[in-house]
Amino acid sequence: MAARRRPGGTPGSPNSKFTQQELPACKPILTPKWVISVFVLVGVIFVPIGLVSLKASRKVVEIVDRYDDACVPANTTDKLAYIQNPTISKNCRRTLKVPKDMDAPIFVYYQLDNFYQNHRRYVKSRSDAQLRDPKKANDTSTCDPEGTANGMAIVPCGLIAWSIFNDTYGFVRNSKNLPVDKKNISWKSDREHKFGRDVFPKNFQNGSLKGGKTLDPNKSLSEQEDLIVWMRTAALPTFRKLYGRIHTDLKKDDTITVTLENNYNTYSFSGKKKLVLSTSTWLGGKNDFLGLAYLTVGGLCFFLAFAFTLLYLIKPRKMGDNSYLSWNRNPAGR
């Protein structure tokens, strides 16, 4: 006589509860009332969140000014030759009108369009070890084509650092300067862990072709916040980066005079440059997508709940009715 097998089998055996899928489990039965209730609940939660998010986004006041074409002299036919000629003045003056009251702090951004910071070769052209450690100054193996200049290592090396944004902005309201605070515009974790306090720029922008801003050789990389902001590459070809903050309230219909230097070359790749002044709310800057996404999902859930309710009322179906099984609906097809 064969030995009697223990109920459930031993762990790991073919007859265990795990292999036979007999472990305790939640197996809810999705009845029409349950499904309709879930859709209604999701709609009740998502729609108010969407409305609140959208309202917060609409409270943000933004001033966006595209200046790359406007700051080119009227008689200039070759924009690329203009931006590459160091003897031509790049000073430009723009006038902005404040549409609504803007409470401090007011964030100053520069926006670039059609600039692919996420390009594989561009993203890889940097040396994180060199940025952190002064002993790794000659570690430029990953920085081509901007690893060395005149036979010496470049610090910071790579295309990302080389192409740092170098337009400058100054703001005046009613003949009074509006100072721009450029402190703490970068991530604290980047300043403290990714850029060394004892690493200083060396041999930077000394090559035959200058890419962007020149860094102060007497300031450590952890203090060069414009560089730190720029080195955090964007995922999309249109992006904004923080330039500074204005800690002064602006009133409706105020006139802001912006004196800028149009230095950065976006003409070679048909890019666009924009100056952005923006307030913020508890949700951050202006972004309608989150609110619209919540409203869309919530509205879709309400619609499905209504549709299932009509279907349930017009054509009800008995739970557990065997006549709906395929082999019972078509006996001749057995």
Side-chain angles (χ1 to χ4, degrees), residues 24-177:
C26 179
K27 300 177 182 178
I29 299 176
L30 298 179
T31 63
K33 292 181 180 179
W34 173 253
V35 172
I36 292 170
S37 299
V38 170
F39 277 128
V40 171
L41 179 63
V42 173
V44 167
I45 295 174
F46 274 47
V47 169
I49 293 177
L51 292 174
V52 172
S53 301
L54 200 58
K55 184 178 180 180
S57 177
R58 297 292 170 86
K59 284 185 177 180
V60 175
V61 182
E62 272 192 357
I63 303 174
V64 181
D65 179 53
R66 180 184 174 185
Y67 64 87
D68 54 290
D69 285 339
C71 286
V72 177
N75 57 349
T76 301
T77 56
D78 190 343
K79 297 178 182 178
L80 187 59
Y82 151 78
I83 201 68
Q84 292 178 339
N85 190 340
T87 63
I88 301 177
S89 174
K90 305 300 190 301
N91 291 333
C92 180
R93 181 167 293 182
R94 304 286 293 165
T95 301
L96 307 178
K97 191 91 167 183
V98 179
K100 297 179 181 179
D101 290 352
M102 301 180 71
D103 298 330
I106 299 168
F107 297 87
V108 182
Y109 300 93
Y110 55 88
Q111 177 176 319
L112 296 179
D113 294 1
N114 203 36
F115 191 115
Y116 288 83
Q117 270 198 319
N118 60 347
H119 191 282
R120 181 179 61 85
R121 292 186 62 189
Y122 184 87
V123 171
K124 292 176 64 177
S125 185
R126 62 186 293 165
S127 174
D128 290 319
Q130 184 199 63
L131 297 173
R132 290 191 304 265
D133 188 354
K135 298 178 181 179
K136 302 287 186 178
N138 294 322
D139 186 2
T140 61
S141 58
T142 59
C143 293
D144 289 340
E146 291 297 324
T148 60
N150 304 320
M152 298 173 58
I154 300 173
V155 181
C157 67
L159 282 174
I160 305 177
W162 174 80
S163 61
I164 180 175
F165 189 77
N166 62 340
D167 285 6
T168 60
Y169 310 110
F171 302 89
V172 176
R173 181 189 64 172
N174 299 330
S175 302
K176 293 183 179 180
N177 289 328

Side-chain angles (χ1 to χ4, degrees), residues 312-334:
Y312 179 65
L313 294 176
I314 296 174
K315 194 177 180 180
R317 179 168 137 178
K318 182 182 177 182
M319 291 295 296
D321 190 349
N322 293 334
S323 64
Y324 285 96
L325 296 174
S326 59
W327 53 83
N328 289 334
R329 283 187 292 174
N330 188 16
R334 293 181 185 178

